[in-house]
Amino acid sequence: LGDITSEPGQVLERLMFACIPTLNGSYLERLKPLPDLYGPLWVCITLIFSTAISGNMADFFSSLGKDTNWEYDFKKVSIAGTVVFSYVTVVPALLSGFLWWRKSNAPVKLADILSLYGYSMSLFVPVSLLLCINYEWVRWILVVALVSASGGVLSLTMWKVLEEEPKQLALILTGILLALHVALILLFKVILNMNIINNFYCIM
């Protein structure tokens, strides 16, 4: 299922190029012949804590000037962890299972997709920290930049992977994967800037 560990230099290279979309979808070539799970694991763990920190910072800033006592919400860690690890494991597993069911000749295995999805979350870390900025136009600029960079790497890579599939099917699959990625980005924006986590737990 791929390599559990990897050389630090190789991980840094994969992190860097996960932020740069290329029209030939060559990012997968940087994961082969042995995709690692070490880099993606630490990307996800870092993202979980950066999201929790940023979410609490956003809550703190929104409480300034109000007659409320701000408290750190540790539930954000568990919610961020659930969202992140569900996304980077369930979506690759479903895609890999679908390709296996179709007996596809796509040059990709489950380990490749898991590594791709893990590294595609790299840009989420700095952006998640910046989304606590209390200017809506800044947040939307960050969202568009994240969709363009992270979503671009993911969709262009998968389009290259699916080039042996019928064009219509490849287009549909790539569109679905990009839509899920955009939905995740928007979910992060909502969680970090609209305090829905607190409201969710109040309802429960």
Side-chain angles (χ1 to χ4, degrees):
L1 188 66
D3 192 12
I4 299 299
T5 61
S6 186
E7 293 294 329
Q10 185 182 53
V11 171
L12 289 175
E13 179 182 299
R14 291 175 173 179
L15 286 171
M16 180 178 66
F17 283 97
C19 306
I20 307 173
T22 54
L23 293 178
N24 61 3
S26 62
Y27 184 71
L28 190 63
E29 297 174 4
R30 301 186 181 279
L31 300 179
K32 291 181 176 294
L34 195 59
D36 72 284
L37 301 180
Y38 177 82
L41 175 63
W42 281 106
V43 167
C44 293
I45 291 175
T46 304
L47 176 59
I48 289 167
F49 284 99
S50 69
T51 302
I53 292 171
S54 185
N56 279 282
M57 288 174 62
D59 289 349
F60 172 75
F61 291 143
S62 65
S63 69
L64 293 177
K66 298 179 181 178
D67 190 20
T68 57
N69 292 323
W70 177 81
E71 294 182 358
Y72 192 92
D73 186 2
F74 289 96
K75 299 184 184 73
K76 285 183 170 60
V77 176
S78 60
I79 292 179
T82 301
V83 171
V84 170
F85 279 112
S86 295
Y87 178 72
V88 299
T89 55
V90 173
V91 175
L94 290 175
L95 177 59
S96 180
F98 178 76
L99 295 176
W100 173 83
W101 173 74
R102 278 187 52 83
K103 296 181 172 57
S104 172
N105 294 322
V108 67
K109 298 179 180 179
L110 176 59
D112 299 319
I113 305 176
L114 287 170
S115 188
L116 169 64
Y117 265 77
Y119 278 115
S120 72
M121 306 295 284
S122 302
L123 268 181
F124 278 67
V125 176
V127 171
S128 68
L129 294 172
L130 293 174
L131 280 174
C132 68
I133 297 175
N134 197 26
Y135 292 98
E136 191 65 16
W137 63 271
V138 173
R139 296 168 183 166
W140 279 112
I141 290 176
L142 292 170
V143 167
V144 172
L146 188 55
V147 169
S148 302
S150 179
V153 169
L154 183 63
S155 58
L156 289 173
T157 300
M158 292 311 304
W159 177 255
K160 184 71 173 179
V161 167
L162 298 170
E163 64 182 357
E164 295 187 11
E165 296 291 325
K167 291 298 182 183
Q168 185 176 7
L169 177 61
L171 183 61
I172 292 173
L173 285 177
T174 303
I176 291 173
L177 296 176
L178 180 58
L180 289 173
H181 206 65
V182 172
L184 179 70
I185 293 171
L186 294 176
L187 178 61
F188 268 82
K189 180 183 181 299
V190 170
I191 289 176
L192 291 172
N193 297 291
M194 294 184 66
N195 300 323
I196 65 169
I197 293 178
N198 290 335
N199 296 334
F200 175 80
Y201 275 92
C202 288
I203 293 172
M204 294 187 64

